[in-house]
Amino acid sequence: AQKITQTQPGMFVQEKEAVTLDCTYDTSDPSYGLFWYKQPSSGEMIFLIYQGSYDQQNATEGRYSLNFQKARKSANLVISASQLGDSAMYFCAMRGTTGNTPLVFGKGTRLSVIA
Amino acid sequence: ETGVTQTPRHLVMGMTNKKSLKCEQHLGHNAMYWYKQSAKKPLELMFVYNFKEQTENNSVPSRFSPECPNSSHLFLHLHTLQPEDSALYLCASSRALGSYNEQFFGPGTRLTVL
């Protein structure tokens, strides 16, 4: 079974500062994928970034980067130069490769960017 | 413009009503999903379809009935729901099943059962 843990129910960050959202995971699959999604108040889940378990380098997408530490089973999301529009719920998710394993989500972190 | 659309965006229904949620994806994907998002709970996978065939039913009550007529359309038929079924229902699609395929979500239907 797979499990995602996000220990920060809510986070505040000053505009233009960087923020790290924590995510730890647990799986017995040798190969898996890790995802981060953003959910604004409108409800839509927006895909942000993907990290494969065998990727040698940390994934980056614009202002988003994933701090992947495989031995610690952590996949923290780093948002640089925060903007007011970054205020939203952020979900970490993972999916294994054994059979048709589903995408498992954490409970999310609510990020509030302060002007 | 999002590649995954859902209608209606909001739905209020009584426990004896029958309604359907519709999802359409314009991305040429082969896999589609229904999720339920309740307040203060993680996103819950309900159903998975791959090439129109249901590959997963995550112990969902029979009052929820999915239908996938083709790879671009997915429906969720609702009947005799309970108030605890009130939630945001999200549809998603991906190019294929597999851990490296990101899922793209629609805007969701916010359902209220009275």
Side-chain angles (χ1 to χ4, degrees), chain A residues 72-101:
Chain A
R72 294 185 176 184
K73 292 189 175 181
S74 74
N76 299 338
L77 177 70
V78 181
I79 306 175
S80 62
S82 297
Q83 303 172 356
L84 294 178
D86 294 334
S87 295
M89 283 290 290
Y90 287 82
F91 293 92
C92 180
M94 75 170 299
R95 185 170 188 165
T97 55
T98 304
N100 289 330
T101 54

Side-chain angles (χ1 to χ4, degrees), chain B residues 31-88:
Chain B
M32 296 188 76
Y33 313 78
W34 277 117
Y35 288 88
K36 175 183 178 182
Q37 187 178 29
S38 306
K40 299 182 180 179
K41 291 178 70 175
L43 212 62
E44 300 172 77
L45 178 67
M46 300 175 72
F47 301 104
V48 180
Y49 278 82
N50 191 37
F51 291 97
K52 303 189 300 178
E53 299 298 320
Q54 187 179 129
T55 60
E56 188 151 349
N57 176 340
N58 204 24
S59 302
V60 181
S62 59
R63 57 186 184 269
F64 294 92
S65 174
E67 179 190 359
C68 189
N70 54 61
S71 292
S72 299
H73 294 85
L74 186 64
F75 296 89
L76 188 62
H77 304 299
L78 317 170
H79 63 98
T80 59
L81 294 191
Q82 305 297 313
E84 59 264 30
D85 296 323
S86 298
L88 180 68

Side-chain angles (χ1 to χ4, degrees), chain A residues 26-64:
Chain A
D26 192 22
T27 181
S28 56
D29 278 335
S31 177
Y32 47 88
L34 295 156
F35 305 80
W36 275 93
Y37 285 86
K38 171 185 178 181
Q39 187 180 39
S41 56
S42 59
E44 182 179 358
M45 297 282 276
I46 302 168
F47 166 73
L48 295 178
I49 195 167
Y50 164 80
Q51 177 85 45
S53 60
Y54 285 108
D55 292 344
Q56 295 296 316
Q57 293 187 320
N58 286 345
T60 60
E61 288 287 348
R63 293 186 299 111
Y64 304 108

